[in-house]
Amino acid sequence: MMNMNSLLTALLHNPAVILIVGAFVAVRAPSIIRKPVALVFVSASALLLIRLGTIETGLITLFGEQLVTVRVDSLSRIFAVIFHIAIALNILYSWHEKKDRLSNFANLAYPAACLGGVLAGDFITLFIWWEIAAITSVFLIWAPGTRATYLSGMRYLTVQILSGVMLLGGIVLYYRVHGSISFDFIGLRDVEHADGNHGPVKLYGLFLFIAFGIKSAFPLLHNWVQDSYPKASLTGTIVLSVFTTKLAVYSLARGFPGTHELVYIGAVMTIFPIFFALIENDLRKVLCYSINNQVGFMVIGIGVGSATALNGAVGYAFCNIIFESLLFMSLGAAIYRTGTSQATELGGLYRQMPLTMALCIIGALSISAFPFTAGFVTKGLIIEGAAAAHIPGIFIIWLVLLFASAGVLEHAGIKIPYFTFFAHSHPDRKFINDKVPTGMYVAMIISAILSIGIGIYPGPLYALMPGQEQIQSYHPNTAYHIIEQLQLLLFAILAFAVLIKMKWYPAEIPSDNLDSDWLWRIPGRHF
């Protein structure tokens, strides 16, 4: 059975538990001090993380099995650091929101659960946080209180619980084979045969692979992102965009590095969102497609499995949280003032919102991996790792990465700022709010500073990465890397300009774009 002293020690030494307690305290506090209280608990959690250093702690014996509730190593630490930064930025961005207690609770409890999952050293602890993350995050989708958000939230919850069921099944099967619940390398297949061919798929590996894949939004399992995230509250969408898929990316990096199937899955993930984002009218859904695309780059890096590629995957996850949040925040500021996220109803806002426009462009440049931005100094590691890999069809994968990089510039780097701030001038537009709250601007400015600062001086980020020997020899801001990337991006900009000038760019049409969700909604429903 469990020793109560060990349990208390484990709870006191867990940054995620501090955040959970903070969520309960903040939600009961008067509205005027709710956000400051939340920031105090985030600061306390971050200080504990720093004090822990590199450690395995929170050791609890449960029915003869040892739980490691907190494991801080080079892989978990980089995710834990960026999670704390993202939580603080989200609190600042939502500073003006006072009334909705449940959303305020979920804004802190849900990230806390994802942080707990990242720090989990065993499968049981991972499973507990996995389920808490699913349950707490759905309240962000239900926050608007409409029938559409209720139904979307129920679907989201069903998908997340399915992921948890697959995770639990994989844990049971893993324990039967290994007699252990330690969360380390899993692998999809048995050890390679002497002739170099892969062995058979392990059943527990398949269950865990699918569990992580659902949360990563693998192709055909991705539609819950586009269906639920845009229906959440304005700040809820931003919070959701950060944590669920990144917890899954961490889990894949921990359990399945070097699994070559991930390379091909990731390649599909980088490509298909580009085409659907091209015709999508709801700009929040465009950014949700961008989440699929960006996670695809990370999945490829994990699948390649070399130290360079893994550094690129986790480093890109770190930076993506910053600049993707900046894009969601800047679009959110436009929605706050206009009440719409439809491309056909936005545009021409650069006169009324020049600072938001400038911050959005910084996020767009960073997600497009322009030189001297955060995206540039990390995405190059993934591409370089893929180029050096010995995997069947890797040259095609490398070409896919280049094409997908140009596609990111088109649908996130250009489309978002263009259709939000420049296209379709609306001189008679009525604004539902006179100005953007100060907290929104503070969060966006900090994100923009980080996006540029990391791009100019990536050393502190590189110091957090797992493979220090490989990262020390990588220098992104060289003439070769800069010219190579500028060639790709400038030609992509030229292609966009030609399409707009010749009126060949797909027109923005108010409609619902189902993509492969049609398979679930039409034949799937009949089935």
Side-chain angles (χ1 to χ4, degrees), residues 334-341 345-346 430 432-433:
I335 297 170
Y336 180 83
R337 290 204 63 189
T338 63
T340 181
S341 61
E345 300 173 18
L346 286 168
K430 296 183 187 293
I432 62 174
N433 289 293

Side-chain angles (χ1 to χ4, degrees), residues 3 33 49 55 67 83 85 92 97 99 126 138 152 178 215 264 303 314 334 365 369 413 443 478 480 483 485 516:
N3 183 287
I33 64 169
L49 178 69
I55 194 172
L67 309 186
F83 278 11
I85 293 172
L92 292 172
E97 296 180 353
K99 296 180 180 179
L126 175 68
V138 75
S152 180
H178 296 284
K215 243 179 174 60
Y264 310 113
V314 300
L365 292 174
T478 61
Y480 172 79
I483 293 172
Q485 187 68 3
S516 63

Side-chain angles (χ1 to χ4, degrees), residues 195-503:
D195 60 2
N197 295 319
H198 288 291
V201 172
K202 298 178 287 192
L203 186 58
Y204 67 80
L206 181 62
F207 269 66
L208 295 170
F209 189 80
I210 295 173
F212 299 161
I214 292 173
K215 243 179 174 60
S216 299
F218 279 0
L220 299 183
L221 301 174
H222 69 280
N223 302 108
W224 57 269
V225 176
Q226 287 75 30
D227 181 53
S228 58
Y229 284 12
K231 293 185 176 69
S233 62
L234 191 60
T235 56
T237 300
I238 300 167
V239 179
L240 288 165
S241 71
V242 171
F243 294 100
T244 298
T245 52
K246 304 312 179 295
L247 171 59
V249 166
Y250 163 80
S251 301
L252 287 172
R254 175 71 69 183
F256 295 95
T259 301
H260 293 170
E261 285 81 357
L262 287 173
V263 174
Y264 310 113
I265 293 172
V268 176
M269 291 178 72
T270 63
I271 290 296
F272 82 84
I274 295 172
F275 301 102
F276 291 116
L278 188 69
I279 60 175
E280 179 56 56
N281 188 51
D282 186 336
L283 294 184
R284 284 210 286 183
K285 287 186 71 174
V286 172
L287 285 178
C288 288
Y289 279 116
S290 176
I291 293 173
N292 297 133
N293 167 273
Q294 297 291 284
V295 171
F297 283 97
M298 304 167 204
V299 169
I300 289 176
I302 295 167
V304 170
S306 65
T308 299
L310 280 173
N311 277 334
V314 300
Y316 196 59
F318 185 103
C319 294
N320 176 260
I321 288 173
I322 296 171
F323 54 68
E324 187 116 47
S325 293
L326 178 55
L327 285 172
F328 270 105
M329 288 177 182
S330 55
L331 178 59
I335 297 170
Y336 180 83
R337 290 204 63 189
T338 63
T340 181
S341 61
Q342 303 298 309
T344 48
E345 300 173 18
L346 286 168
L349 292 174
Y350 69 93
R351 296 183 184 90
Q352 295 87 359
M353 306 178 70
L355 178 56
T356 305
M357 175 204 69
L359 295 169
C360 181
I361 290 174
I362 292 174
L365 292 174
S366 194
I367 200 172
S368 304
F370 260 82
F372 303 108
T373 65
F376 176 70
V377 299
T378 48
K379 184 184 287 185
L381 283 163
I382 299 175
I383 296 175
E384 185 170 301
H390 300 286
I391 299 172
I394 194 61
F395 178 70
I396 296 175
I397 300 298
W398 180 76
L399 293 177
V400 166
L401 284 170
L402 295 182
F403 176 80
S405 297
V408 172
L409 172 65
E410 192 287 321
H411 79 267
I414 296 178
K415 181 169 182 172
I416 295 298
Y418 178 77
F419 284 103
T420 304
F421 298 101
F422 299 105
H424 314 306
S425 181
H426 295 277
D428 300 326
R429 176 189 286 116
K430 296 183 187 293
F431 292 94
I432 62 174
N433 289 293
D434 293 333
K435 61 180 181 179
V436 176
T438 302
M440 285 187 172
Y441 276 129
V442 172
M444 288 190 287
I445 290 170
I446 294 174
S447 299
I449 291 172
L450 289 172
S451 295
I452 296 174
I454 293 173
I456 295 174
Y457 183 53
L461 171 60
Y462 287 176
L464 286 173
M465 290 182 177
Q468 285 300 298
E469 292 183 7
Q470 291 74 19
I471 200 64
Q472 288 174 2
S473 62
Y474 182 73
H475 304 286
N477 295 324
T478 61
Y480 172 79
H481 286 121
I482 292 171
I483 293 172
E484 179 186 47
Q485 187 68 3
L486 284 177
Q487 287 177 344
L488 179 68
L489 297 178
L490 291 177
F491 274 105
I493 293 171
L494 176 63
F496 177 83
V498 170
L499 290 173
I500 291 291
K501 187 70 175 175
M502 301 299 293
K503 301 186 185 304

